[in-house]
Amino acid sequence: MAGGSKSSQKQSKNASNNKQVDSQIVPIPTPSDENQNNNVPIVSSFNDRIRPLLDAVDKLRHLNVAAKEGIQLPTIVVVGDQSSGKSSVLESLAGISLPRGQGICTRVPLIMRLHHHPAATPELYLEYTADGSAKKVTTDESSVANAINSATEEIAGGGKGISNNPLTLVVRKNGVPDLTMVDLPGITRVPVHGQPEDIYEQVTATIMEYINPEESIILNVLSATVDFSTCESIRMSQKVDKTGDRTLAVVTKVDKSPEGLLEKVAADDVGIGLGYVCVRNRIGEETYEEARIAEAQLFGTHPLLSKIDKSIVGVRNLFIPRCLPEIVKKINEKLSSNIAELNRMPKTMTSVGEAVTTFMGIVGSAKESLRKLIIRGEFNEYPDENQMHCTARLVEMLEKFSAQLRDAPENDHKSNFLVDEIRVLEEYKGIRLPDFLSQSAFLTMLNRKVKGISGIPVGFIEEVWGYIESVVLSVVMKRCEDHQQLQFSIRRACHNLIEKLRDRSANWVLEVLQMEELTDYTCSPDYMSEWNSLMAERPGFLNSARSHSSVSIVGFGTVLIVESVRKSLVLEQAYDLKMRIATYWKVVQRRLVDSMALHVQLSLRNLVEKELEKGIVEELMGRHGGAIEKMLEESPFVAAKKEKLSGSIKLLRESKDVLAAIMDRIASSSH
């Protein structure tokens, strides 16, 4: 038999009624062992090889680290081909009778929770859900098999079908190991009478659901009578555990096929990473005591089985390298994260000075973030939040503003060509020399155009400051998210500040528009060169306009000439006025875009460097005076969060200490 402990070896050497075969020690039960299961090979192997893991997991379960911290703990899942002896293996562990027979005995996932219980009388009960209601059925050792069968019929029906709705058996008994195992339906490919046609697919789906999670330890039960490589359970476990790091094999029915068993487990052609445990299960009506004696004699005296060496069967604690370090890693990650989060939480204020210092720190931190976002165009704090990439968003708004100016109706110089110009010129007739262009007529035309687009720059300013307010509030609220009482006041202060700056910008825009309405001036040389170029087209235009209904003009394309325009006495002046307005309007548009860009840049720099800190401090200090410390008082939400984090850190540290102690024990016992 495989996996005897060091203590059992020592006892074997000192007891005359124990027998040593090669280097494998197989204890023969004595009368004092009658109420103990630790001489059963599979139990002995668990106690010797898996005990450290179980101790650690059991303590972590008591700490409730899985529910409280989401640290998944290992679950031992028993799989095997139909009639491989799975239930018999579980019987050996629990020391109780389970349903046995031909075909599928286990038709639902059977979760066995074993607990060592010092009381003389074992305690057994079933828990399951059937017909939509939760049920608990108390039973005893003599009736447990029938109770399981009855519960299975309630869950899966009276036929031979299966269900993935689990049945839990709790066993509190003296001598059993503290562990939880899941027994799954045996694998069968060919349905028998009474079984559904897709029985294989149903069983496979149920098994895969339980063995797929990384935290599942697969206990693969193999019959010594078959070729391991052909076992369906091996194929399935290899699919989810390619390296075999979380698979342990239990070889049953060794008495029926001892030939070549030593070679099979030594070769390990199927990659069982956690090793093998060879057992002889209870046969027929044998008592557990009779079965233990027969098993011990078999492994102690059989010419072939007695040669199975522990060093060949498996290495002690092979569960540990895979399972415990992974749990330790998850605990360390969660612990580090919680400590970092707790350190980021605000400290409790003990004086007005501390409160003011904290308040100014919040404002200063927000100011630095806004300096990066708005002025320098750095957004490393918000790499994936595009709305916080301010410089890029502001350029988009400016480009949109420029496009709106270009697309405004005031840029349409072809519709009703010269009609408006002629009408204005006729209204401004005076007693003066002919061909004299009135500046008043020019300003009237310009005034109409400026008024027509005045809503665009005003809307642009509204959009810019609306966006900036959202950015400022986002940054500032993030800096004081742990001070809920401060948030309302500081939000109002920021809103009032942005409102003031928005009004200031709106007034500036109105002044700019008023200047454009009342004054016609530019020093740009482009104006004169473009106007002269258009005026060079005038003689040809006049000749064509007198006799044609359409004329082509460079820079304008083909324009329609209505009858009233052809006959107008001020046609020459109207052409001049049109070309001056068209040329100057381009200057106005460029000037508006440039001045808006410069104004926004200056205003935002002033906001960050001068206005923000001053505005918030004046608003809060002026209105609330010495009440800053009250605003920074720890809220119930923050206090509860701190308490939760502190509790979590304490629990994780306790869990870490548990695992460290277990792993130290493993390390020392391996030398």
Side-chain angles (χ1 to χ4, degrees):
M1 180 223 128
S5 67
K6 288 184 177 180
S7 61
S8 65
Q9 293 178 15
K10 185 176 180 181
Q11 292 169 3
S12 298
K13 292 177 182 177
N14 295 333
S16 60
N17 62 340
N18 284 350
K19 186 178 294 185
Q20 179 172 345
V21 182
D22 295 339
S23 60
Q24 175 63 41
I25 309 303
V26 183
I28 298 177
T30 65
S32 63
D33 295 324
E34 288 184 2
N35 293 321
Q36 302 296 324
N37 279 346
N38 61 348
N39 282 328
V40 181
I42 184 69
V43 176
S44 176
S45 180
F46 268 98
N47 287 336
D48 188 39
R49 296 163 60 193
I50 310 174
R51 181 79 270 154
L53 173 65
L54 299 178
D55 286 345
V57 172
D58 187 52
K59 290 179 180 179
L60 292 178
R61 281 201 174 99
H62 281 301
L63 289 172
N64 207 16
V65 71
K68 292 182 178 179
E69 303 300 332
I71 305 296
Q72 294 300 317
L73 302 178
T75 298
I76 299 172
V77 181
V78 184
V79 298
D81 290 2
Q82 184 174 298
S83 301
S84 62
K86 293 188 296 83
S87 297
S88 297
V89 168
L90 292 172
E91 282 185 342
S92 298
L93 283 168
I96 59 171
S97 297
L98 296 174
R100 305 167 78 184
Q102 296 299 317
I104 296 182
C105 300
T106 305
R107 297 196 291 127
V108 299
L110 176 63
I111 301 172
M112 295 186 64
R113 302 193 190 281
L114 309 181
H115 303 282
H116 173 69
H117 191 49
T121 304
E123 179 185 347
L124 292 82
Y125 58 88
L126 297 169
E127 294 178 331
Y128 59 97
T129 299
D131 299 325
S133 60
K135 299 187 177 183
K136 180 176 179 179
V137 177
T138 302
T139 185
D140 55 38
E141 290 188 84
S142 62
S143 307
V144 65
N146 290 333
I148 290 174
N149 283 332
S150 297
T152 298
E153 288 189 4
E154 285 192 63
I155 297 170
K160 296 182 180 180
I162 69 167
S163 169
N164 61 2
N165 191 14
L167 168 63
T168 299
L169 169 63
V170 178
V171 178
R172 300 180 185 274
K173 183 178 179 180
N174 187 22
V176 301
D178 291 316
L179 60 93
T180 298
M181 305 182 77
V182 181
D183 183 24
L184 298 174
I187 303 167
T188 178
R189 278 193 170 275
V190 181
V192 298
H193 180 69
Q195 290 180 338
E197 290 296 320
D198 63 343
I199 185 67
Y200 172 74
E201 288 75 15
Q202 289 187 38
V203 171
T204 299
T206 299
I207 292 174
M208 294 301 288
E209 178 183 345
Y210 280 87
I211 68 174
N212 190 56
E214 285 292 323
E215 58 272 11
S216 293
I217 304 301
I218 305 169
L219 195 65
N220 210 317
V221 180
L222 308 171
S223 173
T225 61
V226 302
D227 181 359
F228 295 166
S229 63
T230 65
C231 292
E232 190 73 12
S233 62
I234 287 290
R235 187 188 66 80
M236 293 178 67
S237 61
Q238 286 176 335
K239 186 177 295 186
V240 298
D241 180 28
K242 298 184 185 303
T243 60
D245 288 344
R246 55 187 180 92
T247 301
L248 171 70
V250 177
V251 184
T252 63
K253 304 180 182 180
V254 297
D255 52 329
K256 294 184 178 180
S257 185
E259 294 81 9
L261 181 59
L262 174 60
E263 291 74 17
K264 285 165 74 173
V265 298
D268 187 25
D269 292 333
V270 293
I272 303 296
L274 302 183
Y276 294 80
V277 178
C278 298
V279 300
R280 172 198 179 274
N281 289 331
R282 186 167 64 96
I283 298 174
E285 299 302 319
E286 284 181 340
T287 66
Y288 292 108
E289 191 60 33
E290 290 170 345
R292 284 199 297 272
I293 293 172
E295 183 179 56
Q297 290 174 341
L298 176 68
F299 282 103
T301 62
H302 193 282
L304 296 176
L305 297 179
S306 63
K307 294 181 179 181
I308 299 179
D309 193 290
K310 182 168 66 175
S311 64
I312 294 176
V313 172
V315 180
R316 293 168 57 240
N317 301 321
L318 278 173
F319 271 103
I320 308 305
R322 172 76 182 194
C323 302
L324 292 190
E326 185 64 25
I327 298 175
V328 170
K329 177 185 174 184
K330 292 177 180 177
I331 287 176
N332 284 336
E333 289 174 352
K334 190 70 181 292
L335 181 60
S336 298
S337 173
N338 286 357
I339 290 174
E341 186 174 0
L342 184 61
N343 289 337
R344 288 193 298 268
M345 298 285 287
K347 295 180 179 179
T348 304
M349 307 299 157
T350 58
S351 67
V352 175
E354 278 191 6
V356 172
T357 300
T358 300
F359 171 67
M360 295 306 296
I362 290 172
V363 176
S365 175
K367 181 177 174 180
E368 178 57 28
S369 290
L370 291 170
R371 184 180 290 116
K372 290 179 181 178
L373 291 168
I374 295 176
I375 298 177
R376 298 205 296 265
E378 300 170 5
F379 42 84
N380 55 296
E381 292 182 40
Y382 303 89
D384 301 319
E385 297 181 43
N386 289 346
Q387 276 302 103
M388 300 298 285
H389 303 174
C390 294
T391 51
R393 302 293 80 77
L394 289 170
V395 168
E396 288 175 356
M397 292 179 203
L398 193 64
E399 290 174 346
K400 175 185 172 185
F401 167 61
S402 179
Q404 286 177 326
L405 288 179
R406 289 195 306 270
D407 297 338
E410 286 69 25
N411 280 312
D412 181 9
H413 299 294
K414 293 176 64 174
S415 298
N416 295 321
F417 190 71
L418 299 186
V419 171
D420 290 337
E421 286 78 7
I422 290 173
R423 186 181 299 120
V424 169
L425 287 170
E426 288 179 345
E427 290 300 316
Y428 281 96
K429 285 180 180 178
I431 303 174
R432 61 176 69 93
L433 293 173
D435 295 333
F436 184 81
L437 183 61
S438 168
Q439 185 185 27
S440 297
F442 180 86
L443 291 177
T444 297
M445 295 294 297
L446 178 62
N447 183 273
R448 290 179 182 178
K449 284 186 173 292
V450 173
K451 286 186 182 298
I453 56 92
S454 60
I456 297 176
V458 171
F460 168 70
I461 288 297
E462 286 290 328
E463 182 181 14
V464 166
W465 282 112
Y467 168 70
I468 292 299
E469 181 175 7
S470 69
V471 171
V472 170
L473 286 176
S474 179
V475 170
V476 175
M477 290 299 101
K478 183 178 180 181
R479 292 300 181 277
C480 60
E481 61 185 351
D482 294 320
H483 303 283
Q484 290 182 318
Q485 298 179 73
L486 177 63
Q487 282 188 333
F488 175 76
S489 296
I490 207 167
R491 178 186 289 275
R492 182 175 58 197
C494 290
H495 175 75
N496 291 342
L497 172 62
I498 299 296
E499 194 67 29
K500 182 177 73 173
L501 297 178
R502 180 191 284 113
D503 291 343
R504 185 186 299 172
S505 288
N507 290 333
W508 176 83
V509 168
L510 293 177
E511 287 184 359
V512 168
L513 292 173
Q514 191 175 18
M515 287 187 289
E516 294 293 355
E517 288 177 19
L518 300 177
T519 308
D520 53 331
Y521 173 78
T522 180
C523 64
S524 171
D526 293 337
Y527 169 76
M528 288 304 299
S529 62
E530 186 169 348
W531 177 72
N532 285 329
S533 176
L534 291 172
M535 290 301 291
E537 297 279 316
R538 187 170 69 168
F541 166 78
L542 293 175
N543 288 333
S544 298
R546 298 297 184 186
S547 57
H548 295 82
S549 60
S550 64
V551 179
S552 179
I553 305 174
V554 176
F556 281 76
T558 301
V559 296
L560 298 177
I561 308 298
V562 298
E563 184 70 20
S564 59
V565 169
R566 261 198 308 273
K567 294 181 177 181
S568 174
L569 299 177
V570 292
L571 181 59
E572 292 187 34
Q573 295 97 314
Y575 182 90
D576 188 358
L577 179 58
K578 166 67 82 174
M579 298 310 160
R580 288 180 186 273
I581 283 291
T583 305
Y584 186 68
W585 189 241
K586 294 181 181 179
V587 173
V588 171
Q589 287 180 306
R590 287 194 293 265
R591 192 155 56 201
L592 281 174
V593 174
D594 290 345
S595 59
M596 288 293 174
L598 296 176
H599 172 76
V600 167
Q601 285 285 81
L602 177 62
S603 299
L604 297 184
R605 183 176 292 274
N606 286 338
L607 164 67
V608 175
E609 302 294 356
K610 300 177 182 179
E611 305 283 357
L612 183 69
E613 184 174 333
K614 177 184 174 184
I616 293 176
V617 170
E618 285 182 354
E619 175 89 15
L620 269 66
M621 294 294 192
R623 289 197 179 198
H624 303 283
I628 290 295
E629 67 275 14
K630 292 183 179 179
M631 294 183 195
L632 292 171
E633 284 180 353
E634 192 168 80
S635 68
F637 169 78
V638 172
K641 190 175 181 181
K642 279 186 177 181
E643 183 178 358
K644 182 180 179 181
L645 284 171
S646 298
S648 175
I649 290 169
K650 181 175 181 292
L651 172 61
L652 291 168
R653 281 174 172 161
E654 288 178 4
S655 303
K656 188 176 178 181
D657 291 342
V658 164
L659 291 171
I662 294 294
M663 295 182 78
D664 287 345
R665 196 177 102 196
I666 294 165
S668 61
S669 66
S670 63
H671 294 302

